[in-house]
Amino acid sequence: MKIENSVALVTGANRGIGLAFARDLLARGARKVYVGARDPATVTQAGVQALRLDVNKPEDVAAAAALATDVTLVINNAGIAQPGGFLAADSEEIARRIFETNFFAVLRVSKAFAPILKANGGGALLNVLSVASWVNGGELAAYSASKSAAWSLTNALRTELSTQKTQVLGLHMAYVDTDLTRGFDVPKSSAEEIVARALDGLEAGLDEVLADELTQQVKRGMTAPRPSYLPQAA
Ligand SMILES: NC(=O)c1ccc[n+]([C@@H]2O[C@H](COP(=O)([O-])OP(=O)(O)OC[C@H]3O[C@@H](n4cnc5c(N)ncnc54)[C@H](OP(=O)(O)O)[C@@H]3O)[C@@H](O)[C@H]2O)c1
């Protein structure tokens, strides 16, 4: 889809990758950018429309859909992570909490805005996923599982929304330098470069963007004799 003159809604856009999306959308000529935030007072970016939107609250999502009826691009970006494996004592509780935001809220927002996208000509849905949707080494076990589920959701929505001509793009990437990865001493991309690749892909009509080399490598390795999602020899 063309971003110039589009009307975008980005969830969790007061900071991190969501904020980088809001800024790049403005730079590419979006007519309006709704910045969803749990607390609209945390939205400091000029030129956007702050919107109270805790994606875990059905009443917030319904109110956003009632107000932002001009939206042509929805970016499901809001997400949470917590390190730890499935054998930890509190893993079930953690998994439920993470799935609430990273899976059920993506479903909720997508359902609420699908009729709006349809009424506005189709538009696009961009879901922020992760390389962790394909590999799960147990360090971020529940997070990875939630992103696998969100990947599957994205694929189903692509088919279901094709009848109303809505483009559905899944964005996968490895580590990005934001608050979410502050404790990780690993190579990281900048939010700006990941977002630029995602929006280039959206404008090129792609279904999927693999925004860094590691993610491309993991995807290529899925069909290797020893696939990338299995533990690799040291
Ligand atoms: N950073 C990475 O390495 C990386 C890699 C792959 C994928 N991702 C994905 O990229 C997305 C953005 O991550 P990030 O790195 O930018 O994280 P971040 O810096 O921690 O920002 C997370 C954003 O999500 C918002 N959020 C969390 N729960 C929310 C809720 N219930 N309702 C509305 N907003 C909520 C936060 O709002 P508050 O300010 O109110 O907390 C914040 O704006 C996530 O989906 C993440 O899984 C990140």
Side-chain angles (χ1 to χ4, degrees):
M1 82 172 288
K2 247 178 98 54
I3 289 166
E4 197 178 355
N5 282 325
S6 66
V7 177
L9 165 67
V10 189
T11 67
N14 52 315
R15 61 190 173 99
I17 295 167
L19 176 58
F21 266 117
R23 288 181 171 150
D24 201 336
L25 288 163
L26 287 174
R28 290 176 193 239
R31 184 152 50 86
K32 198 190 286 183
V33 179
Y34 292 101
V35 161
R38 288 194 272 210
D39 177 3
T42 60
V43 177
T44 53
Q45 174 65 39
V48 299
Q49 195 143 330
L51 194 60
R52 178 178 303 281
L53 181 53
D54 182 332
V55 293
N56 290 344
K57 291 186 175 163
E59 65 274 21
D60 276 16
V61 175
L67 186 130
T69 53
D70 49 354
V71 165
T72 59
L73 166 61
V74 174
I75 300 185
N76 278 310
N77 166 79
I80 55 170
Q82 187 167 333
F86 282 132
L87 298 183
D90 53 356
S91 65
E92 193 174 328
E93 189 186 310
I94 289 170
R96 285 186 197 283
R97 192 174 70 82
I98 293 181
F99 266 73
E100 199 54 58
T101 301
N102 294 3
F103 176 77
F104 288 106
V106 176
L107 172 58
R108 180 178 301 121
V109 171
S110 302
K111 271 175 76 176
F113 279 89
I116 293 172
L117 294 175
K118 183 179 182 184
N120 295 329
L125 180 71
L126 191 164
N127 287 348
V128 180
L129 305 169
S130 170
V131 69
S133 57
W134 298 321
V135 284
N136 192 347
E139 304 90 354
L140 284 157
Y143 174 80
S144 299
S146 74
K147 290 295 184 182
S148 297
W151 176 48
S152 182
L153 168 66
T154 303
N155 292 334
L157 287 173
R158 184 176 299 109
T159 305
E160 291 189 56
L161 292 172
S162 64
T163 53
Q164 63 174 55
K165 300 197 180 334
T166 299
Q167 179 187 353
V168 177
L169 187 150
L171 170 65
H172 298 260
M173 67 281 204
Y175 293 103
V176 185
D177 193 7
T178 66
D179 295 340
L180 190 119
T181 58
R182 202 186 296 134
F184 294 75
D185 185 19
V186 292
K188 297 172 192 172
S189 304
S190 72
E192 290 71 23
E193 62 187 308
I194 295 298
V195 161
R197 286 175 197 144
L199 294 182
D200 285 349
L202 191 75
E203 298 209 272
L206 301 184
D207 292 325
E208 189 170 76
V209 168
L210 314 184
D212 55 45
E213 178 52 37
L214 177 61
T215 302
Q216 291 163 16
Q217 210 178 304
V218 166
K219 179 80 183 300
R220 278 196 301 272
M222 301 278 277
T223 55
R226 177 132 186 112
S228 49
Y229 53 84
L230 295 179
Q232 304 295 305

